[in-house]
Amino acid sequence: MSVLTLQLAGPLQSWGSSARFARRTTESAPTKSGVLGLLAAALGRTRDADMSDLTALRFGVRIDQPGTRLRDYQTAHHADTGRSMPVSERFYLSDAVFVAAVEGDGELLGLVLAALQAPVFLPFLGRRSCPPSRPVDLGLYDGVGLSEALGAEEWRASDWYQKQRRKEAVVELNLLLEPGRDTTHDADDGPGDVMRDQPLSFDVRHRRYALRSVVSRSVTLPNPQAGQRAGDTRFPFTPHDPTPHLDPSRRDGS
């Protein structure tokens, strides 16, 4: 088994699992159906293509930066009649960062990784209006489990968000995982949550989703900004100085 890790970061994201009609909500973390749709698009698959190899992958996500929920109102007109459609509510996650992972056959995941680096259809974060702001592909791990791979990735939150927690030497991040050998339930864990988020068909004529289980875990990572002073303005590069550099030995200003 292998695990492919993904970075999902952008100004806006929207991951609906039960959105219908004029109210389009978002979950607080990426959905399996949304992420598999992203992978299928990178591979160049159409919505009516066979997705059974992708849907068999085990899915997990780490919440690095939860973001802020944002509501927007949108209007539209019918393409044929020109009549105004009802005003719809669209919900988004603003300034969120996640690390997602899929576990499965190494050969398939190798093909997916190559596709992410040169996608046939451009990736988006849940909706076409939500492009990623960073490269999606992170790495391919061989011989490790889903939670182990998610714990091996460094904290991917934005610098400004990490600095807000600079007093913490380590951070504890939430994991949302499909049950597997590395998520065996303890007696007091309960059965986990259930979501209708297992895609069966992406065909626009008859989209179908089954139920899947989700269990919560946590992972502790070092904070790279730990101990930095509040007023520290260090740069990873030398800032550009727009003024000319004058030779102090010259008195004529040249």
Side-chain angles (χ1 to χ4, degrees):
M1 283 294 178
S2 300
V3 176
L4 174 64
T5 54
L6 314 166
Q7 180 176 218
L8 306 176
L12 293 176
Q13 305 185 36
S14 189
W15 306 97
S17 64
S18 58
R20 295 292 185 274
F21 308 111
R23 183 178 172 85
R24 302 299 179 91
T25 59
T26 179
E27 299 294 331
S28 58
T31 58
K32 182 177 184 179
S33 56
V35 172
L36 293 188
L38 183 155
L39 302 183
L43 289 165
R45 298 188 185 182
T46 59
R47 288 184 175 271
D48 57 355
D50 180 19
M51 302 286 182
S52 58
D53 55 346
L54 295 180
T55 58
L57 297 172
R58 183 174 165 229
F59 176 71
V61 63
R62 191 182 77 193
I63 303 175
D64 284 34
Q65 184 174 324
T68 304
R69 195 174 297 270
L70 174 69
R71 179 170 62 179
D72 185 31
Y73 294 95
Q74 297 186 10
T75 59
H77 291 78
H78 196 282
D80 295 326
T81 65
R83 296 177 57 185
S84 296
M85 305 290 287
V87 176
S88 62
E89 286 183 286
R90 305 294 176 101
F91 291 82
Y92 301 88
L93 297 176
S94 174
D95 290 331
V97 181
F98 305 97
V99 174
V102 286
E103 178 188 86
D105 177 70
E107 183 176 354
L108 171 62
L109 294 182
L111 294 175
V112 173
L113 176 60
L116 290 172
Q117 294 168 346
V120 177
F121 301 118
L122 293 178
F124 52 86
L125 307 178
R127 293 199 186 120
R128 282 189 289 269
S129 60
C130 303
S133 60
R134 306 178 191 175
V136 174
D137 60 293
L138 285 180
L140 185 61
Y141 294 80
D142 292 318
V144 301
L146 191 66
S147 57
E148 185 179 356
L150 287 170
E153 288 290 343
E154 66 182 66
W155 192 22
R156 298 284 174 174
S158 303
D159 285 345
W160 65 265
Y161 186 82
Q162 293 183 9
K163 289 177 181 178
Q164 288 183 342
R165 303 180 64 175
R166 59 183 172 270
K167 294 183 180 179
E168 306 173 43
V170 296
V171 292
E172 186 173 299
L173 306 177
N174 290 332
L175 302 179
L176 302 175
L177 308 168
E178 285 188 304
R181 289 178 297 177
D182 56 350
T183 55
T184 303
H185 291 305
D186 296 325
D188 57 351
D189 277 348
D193 296 324
V194 176
M195 299 178 60
R196 187 169 292 280
D197 181 42
Q198 176 66 28
L200 300 176
S201 171
F202 287 120
D203 194 328
V204 294
R205 296 167 296 182
H206 186 45
R207 292 181 179 140
R208 293 182 295 130
Y209 304 91
L211 297 174
R212 71 180 183 93
S213 297
V214 180
V215 295
S216 298
R217 291 289 184 272
S218 63
V219 64
T220 301
L221 298 180
N223 181 0
Q225 301 288 349
Q228 187 174 13
R229 298 190 302 274
D232 197 338
T233 56
R234 291 174 294 177
F235 291 87
F237 57 89
T238 302
H240 172 65
D241 184 356
T243 61
H245 294 279
L246 303 181
D247 185 346
S249 65
R250 299 291 295 273
R251 299 302 182 184
D252 57 2
S254 60

